[in-house]
Amino acid sequence: MGAHELAVRWAEALEGAVAPTLTRTQVERLLDGFGDRLIAAVQGTEDMTVAREAARALVAANYRDPLAVHRSVLVLCKDLVTDACPDPACADYWPVRDRAIELAAEFAAEFTAGLRNAALAEQETTLTAAMTAARDADARRQLSEARFQAIFEGASVGIGTVDITTGQVVDVNNAMAETLGVPAAQMPGRSVAEILGPSNIGEAFGLFQRLLSGEIDRFRFETQHTKPDGSHTIIDLSMTVVRDSEGEPRFLIGVTVDVTDRKKLADRLWYDAHHDSLTGLPNRLLFFDRLAAATGQVGVCYLDLDGFKEVNDRRGHTAGDQVLCEVAQRLRRALPPHGVAARLGGDEFIVLVESCSGREELDTVSDGLLAALHDPFDVAGLSVRVGASIGTALVDTDSTAVDELMHAVDTAMYRDKALRQGR
């Protein structure tokens, strides 16, 4: 499968997502422009910016459905890997796979940002139109009222107006009622604080008071909202003072956007980009983020499985994957409360012990990890033994660079492996 076949497969995967105005042929032609560069990126000869360019191109082509991200990530993590490295047993398979995951993460991040910018652009356009209509009310009252009413009722974002003197709601559209979970007919004449309820008002109360007092002209923030029926959403809430031609405040206008699905998508994409897809453990990227953020004295245990290659060679990769998953589960169970286990790739695992009290605790953790892997593994009814070589290091993060730490544990692990093989 070459670059063009990848584009065809990708376009086919996008079928059923909220469709742009492009034809299938045009979509294939659009994606065809990125095929060779994407393949080169997973092979390590092209940088990752091509993923962001592809994401921007799809958003620009009016792909606004999160389903398009989901299916594109699958193509990048599966079809692209198969194209670049058809044989999972080849030496380049894992590096290609890791780069494909990173490529998918770059694509997802840019696509998510594009969705957010598109939603915010619509929100900003709606708000600007509403404010413009209000400022022209005296000169062209009837026309501007008709325009505002059309925008107000037909907008896909929630819009509400508030009396600036009383702080009570004047009117809301159906989108606002749906976002807040309160019928539109029940909002006029009530205060914003009363409508939102004590569990939601939080940060908004202080900002709203500053808005009413004239200290600020607008505010905007993202917050979790609990509806009266108990369901939870995440909303993007903004409120602005609308002034007349003489600069006097006339009323407040609030705009809400339900960003729950987008936030869930972003969280899921972040999780996928920071965790190993096979074992569910944190991956290399997340581990080094945790290590870089650690303070004080930490312990690190670097494990390399012994005999794992034989499992793959004799039992096949499915059996090997089963062993890796079981190893991950055993390591999780053996961790201390302040420990983090991650898979670096292949048969390499690493454990971070934050706030480690000293060498005695680190040795206890190391012994526990080795003990957890001592018992044989059950693979399709067959008993398989896989040992491990382990290197440990106890360092002060304030005075030791990450590279020095990793060199120390890597050296210790190979020393342990050599000792085991020499027995």
Side-chain angles (χ1 to χ4, degrees):
M1 182 175 68
H4 178 68
E5 290 76 8
L6 178 65
V8 173
R9 177 68 186 90
W10 196 347
E12 180 182 359
L14 290 175
E15 291 283 357
V18 175
T21 55
L22 302 180
T23 65
R24 170 64 181 274
T25 301
Q26 290 172 321
V27 173
E28 291 179 7
R29 188 179 303 121
L30 171 68
L31 298 174
D32 202 19
F34 300 99
D36 287 328
R37 294 177 61 197
L38 287 168
I39 293 172
V42 297
Q43 292 173 336
T45 59
E46 171 91 14
D47 62 39
M48 295 293 170
T49 57
V50 61
R52 290 185 174 270
E53 293 175 18
R56 286 194 294 269
L58 288 178
V59 172
N62 207 35
Y63 276 101
R64 304 294 170 85
D65 190 343
L67 186 62
V69 187
H70 173 77
R71 293 181 177 178
S72 295
V73 167
L74 291 179
V75 170
L76 295 175
C77 289
K78 292 184 178 179
D79 297 79
L80 186 56
V81 172
T82 301
D83 180 77
C85 194
D87 184 4
C90 72
D92 291 334
Y93 178 78
W94 289 108
V96 165
R97 185 173 176 273
D98 287 344
R99 285 192 288 269
I101 292 174
E102 184 180 353
L103 199 69
E106 292 289 324
F107 175 88
E110 187 65 27
F111 198 101
T112 303
L115 291 182
R116 177 181 177 82
N117 291 338
L120 295 181
E122 180 183 358
Q123 177 180 337
E124 192 66 27
T125 300
T126 301
L127 185 59
T128 301
M131 293 173 65
T132 300
R135 284 195 295 265
D136 295 340
D138 290 336
R140 296 179 292 173
R141 183 177 302 277
Q142 306 230 336
L143 178 60
S144 54
E145 283 184 356
R147 288 176 177 172
F148 177 76
Q149 196 64 27
I151 295 172
F152 186 83
E153 294 177 355
S156 61
V157 297
I159 305 175
T161 55
V162 179
D163 189 306
I164 200 166
T165 58
T166 64
Q168 294 180 333
V169 173
V170 177
D171 198 7
V172 298
N173 66 357
N174 289 329
M176 173 76 81
E178 183 178 348
T179 300
L180 299 181
V182 179
Q186 295 181 14
M187 293 195 209
R190 299 168 64 188
S191 69
V192 173
E194 182 185 358
I195 293 172
L196 292 179
S199 63
N200 297 312
I201 192 64
E203 182 183 355
F205 181 79
L207 294 171
F208 188 64
Q209 293 301 315
R210 293 174 65 192
L211 202 63
L212 291 176
S213 67
E215 184 179 348
I216 58 175
D217 274 350
R218 65 181 63 198
F219 68 80
R220 175 180 173 184
F221 68 104
E222 203 170 273
T223 183
Q224 180 168 305
H225 177 74
T226 302
K227 294 183 179 181
D229 63 4
S231 60
H232 300 283
T233 59
I234 299 175
I235 63 172
D236 186 298
L237 170 65
S238 62
M239 191 160 282
T240 304
V241 176
V242 178
R243 301 178 182 275
D244 61 21
S245 58
E246 297 179 356
E248 293 297 320
R250 296 294 300 272
F251 59 91
L252 305 178
I253 184 166
V255 178
T256 59
V257 178
D258 187 336
V259 296
T260 307
D261 290 340
R262 189 179 70 224
K263 186 67 167 56
K264 288 180 179 178
L265 174 63
D267 290 346
R268 181 62 194 176
L269 291 172
W270 184 93
Y271 181 90
D272 290 344
H274 290 78
H275 289 78
D276 177 50
S277 60
L278 176 63
T279 65
L281 288 177
N283 61 14
R284 178 187 295 269
L285 177 62
L286 182 54
F287 175 81
F288 283 108
D289 283 347
R290 289 290 296 269
L291 180 58
T295 57
Q297 185 170 251
V298 301
V300 176
C301 302
Y302 184 20
L303 296 93
D304 182 79
L305 300 184
D306 296 329
F308 178 73
K309 185 177 183 302
E310 295 179 8
V311 175
N312 264 343
D313 292 343
R314 296 182 179 181
R315 310 293 183 188
H317 288 285
T318 300
D321 288 349
Q322 185 178 339
V323 169
L324 291 174
C325 290
E326 178 62 25
V327 167
Q329 292 177 15
R330 293 190 188 185
L331 292 180
R332 282 194 191 97
R333 292 194 292 266
L335 285 176
H338 48 292
V340 179
R343 183 186 177 205
L344 297 184
D347 59 355
E348 297 178 346
F349 295 83
I350 195 163
V351 171
L352 172 66
V353 183
E354 297 178 303
S355 303
C356 187
S357 61
R359 171 55 63 179
E360 183 178 350
E361 180 185 4
L362 184 58
D363 288 343
T364 300
V365 173
S366 174
D367 291 342
L369 296 174
L370 290 175
L373 303 179
H374 179 266
D375 292 337
F377 296 82
D378 183 5
V379 178
L382 298 175
S383 181
V384 174
R385 285 191 176 276
V386 175
S389 298
I390 188 166
T392 63
L394 183 69
V395 296
D396 185 346
T397 58
D398 296 331
S399 59
T400 304
V402 171
D403 290 343
E404 294 177 18
L405 171 61
M406 291 306 299
H407 177 71
V409 295
D410 187 59
T411 301
M413 185 274 292
Y414 279 107
R415 185 168 55 246
D416 180 60
K417 184 181 285 287
L419 289 173
R420 290 173 177 272
Q421 292 174 348
R423 289 176 183 174

